Amino acid sequence: MSEYASADHAQEVTRDLSARQEESAQRVRQERIGAACLKRTRAFGKLILFGEHFVVYKAPALVGAVAAYTDCDVEFTGAPGIEVVDLRPAVPGYKVEKAAEGEEAVKIVLSHLGVDTEKRGAKITFGGSLTAVSGIGASAAQVVSLARALSAALPRTLSEEEVNAAGYEGEKGYHGTPSGVDNTAATYGGVLRFQRTDGAPLFTMKKLAGPIRIVYASTGITASTTKVVGDVKAKKEADEAWFGSLLARYTALAAEGEAALDAGDMAALGRLLDENHALCQELTVSCKELDDLVVAARGAGAVGAKMSGTGRGGLMLALTPTAESQAAVAKALEKLAPQVWMTTFA
């Protein structure tokens, strides 16, 4: 059993039972609502190729949306109040630790879209295939899918820009002042370049030279984005020269990374992902669990590997140019990580 996995067999049996119950509830829900209807509410998870924490300070980030998604349906009820049913798969402890933030995020989206649940209540059910885990953008996928579901239920036709804006507002419930990158990836999917500005953020969808195969794995540790971002901010304010040097190095690295991505140069892209991980280590947002997974992925054939997201737990990703290397890296990581997934950016 992995050193990061639970050693308590009774807890594992309980989790397995809970997962089976949630899968059954998801199937019933699909039959009741219809797969086509739920598909319209999908919002995607994301992995950050370049830009953790630096994106907060208006540096560009490169982000890829994973294939897994969160969906949502909304039923208005006669009684006032909000009932949330969360059927999303999740790593142990995630839903409990994020419960208060999630409740606030749901309320913010409802208010932003003019829904007064004191006048008419709402039953909101979340599901889908995206496992809620730190680093994957689960909170953004949740609030973006809620915005899409409200558009259908009100009914009110929301543009993609309005869905994205509602998602950004909802993210405030989780993160205080979000960068905007997670909700943008959740809304639009694909691979994109994102950059904050004093006004509206700038983002462009990237056209890839070929498919990019990724393996990503969880440490099993749920991190607080608000706390980690706050810690980085405090370090920046305590030593502006140190942070400025890291930011300058990152900005140059991100430009090289975008050029490698555009050219489909996997060797260069992998090397730059490794360098980005080293910068995250210097920022003190990596941790032993993440570093161990990164080293294991490289040893199994990944051309590059790094942490992805908030850090101090959460996720790492590995770049695997071929189907064979993707399978080999996934197998190696399964010996260490409690959860491992494969996806492709296309």
Side-chain angles (χ1 to χ4, degrees):
M1 180 174 287
S2 162
E3 63 180 294
Y4 305 135
S6 170
D8 188 333
H9 179 66
Q11 285 186 352
E12 292 299 331
V13 171
T14 300
R15 289 171 194 155
D16 288 345
L17 177 61
S18 175
R20 287 197 298 271
Q21 289 172 335
E22 289 187 354
E23 287 171 6
S24 176
Q26 292 239 44
R27 286 195 296 272
V28 170
R29 179 166 162 262
Q30 276 207 346
E31 291 170 1
R32 178 176 63 83
I33 299 163
C37 183
L38 283 175
K39 186 176 182 179
R40 291 196 291 270
T41 71
R42 287 182 182 177
F44 299 97
K46 66 88 185 66
L47 293 168
I48 296 180
L49 293 171
F50 298 94
E52 287 83 2
H53 294 279
F54 297 109
V55 69
V56 175
Y57 299 98
K58 300 177 183 175
L62 290 170
V63 184
V66 301
Y69 58 86
T70 295
D71 58 34
C72 178
D73 63 280
V74 175
E75 301 173 78
F76 289 114
T77 62
I82 305 168
E83 178 187 358
V84 175
V85 179
D86 193 346
L87 301 177
R88 295 175 300 164
V91 299
Y94 180 94
K95 292 181 186 178
V96 173
E97 292 186 39
K98 300 285 188 177
E101 293 175 352
E103 181 180 341
E104 180 63 18
V106 166
K107 289 179 179 177
I108 289 173
V109 174
L110 289 167
S111 176
H112 176 76
L113 293 178
V115 178
D116 185 350
T117 54
E118 292 303 312
K119 293 181 178 178
R120 59 172 174 172
K123 179 180 179 181
I124 301 167
T125 305
F126 294 104
S129 59
L130 181 69
T131 299
V133 55
S134 291
I136 200 65
S139 60
Q142 183 185 34
V143 291
V144 168
S145 68
L146 173 58
R148 292 197 190 283
L150 285 168
S151 177
L154 286 171
R156 173 182 168 187
T157 301
L158 297 177
S159 67
E160 291 293 87
E161 291 80 6
E162 289 172 317
V163 167
N164 195 25
Y168 178 78
E169 293 301 316
E171 276 277 84
K172 293 178 181 178
Y174 278 101
H175 305 313
T177 306
S179 68
V181 64
D182 285 16
N183 52 274
T184 303
T187 301
Y188 294 96
V191 176
L192 57 89
R193 181 188 193 274
F194 178 94
Q195 188 166 13
R196 292 183 72 172
T197 71
D198 290 332
L202 304 174
F203 67 93
T204 55
M205 305 305 298
K206 303 297 295 181
K207 292 185 178 180
L208 303 182
I212 297 178
R213 294 178 178 87
I214 297 288
V215 178
Y216 62 105
S218 169
T219 60
I221 301 169
T222 298
S224 167
T225 299
T226 302
K227 182 179 186 306
V228 180
V229 169
D231 286 351
V232 171
K233 181 181 179 182
K235 288 180 177 295
K236 171 185 178 295
E237 292 174 348
D239 192 339
E240 293 283 357
W242 165 80
F243 186 84
S245 174
L246 289 183
L247 181 60
R249 286 164 56 195
Y250 166 74
T251 301
L253 182 152
E256 289 184 62
E258 185 172 8
L261 184 73
D262 290 342
D265 187 341
M266 294 298 103
L269 185 62
R271 173 180 58 80
L272 294 162
L273 292 176
D274 289 345
E275 290 183 25
N276 198 164
H277 184 72
L279 285 178
C280 289
Q281 290 174 314
E282 291 186 57
L283 271 181
T284 75
V285 295
S286 190
C287 61
K288 182 181 184 301
E289 292 83 355
L290 285 167
D291 293 344
D292 287 349
L293 292 173
V294 163
V295 170
R298 293 171 184 165
V303 297
K306 62 181 285 291
M307 60 161 277
S308 180
T310 298
R312 297 185 188 169
L315 297 176
M316 56 74 64
L317 65 83
L319 178 63
T320 51
T322 67
E324 292 76 17
S325 64
Q326 187 178 40
V329 169
K331 184 177 180 180
L333 292 179
E334 284 169 356
K335 297 176 182 178
L336 289 177
Q339 295 90 16
V340 178
W341 302 269
M342 296 188 291
T343 194
T344 300
F345 300 151

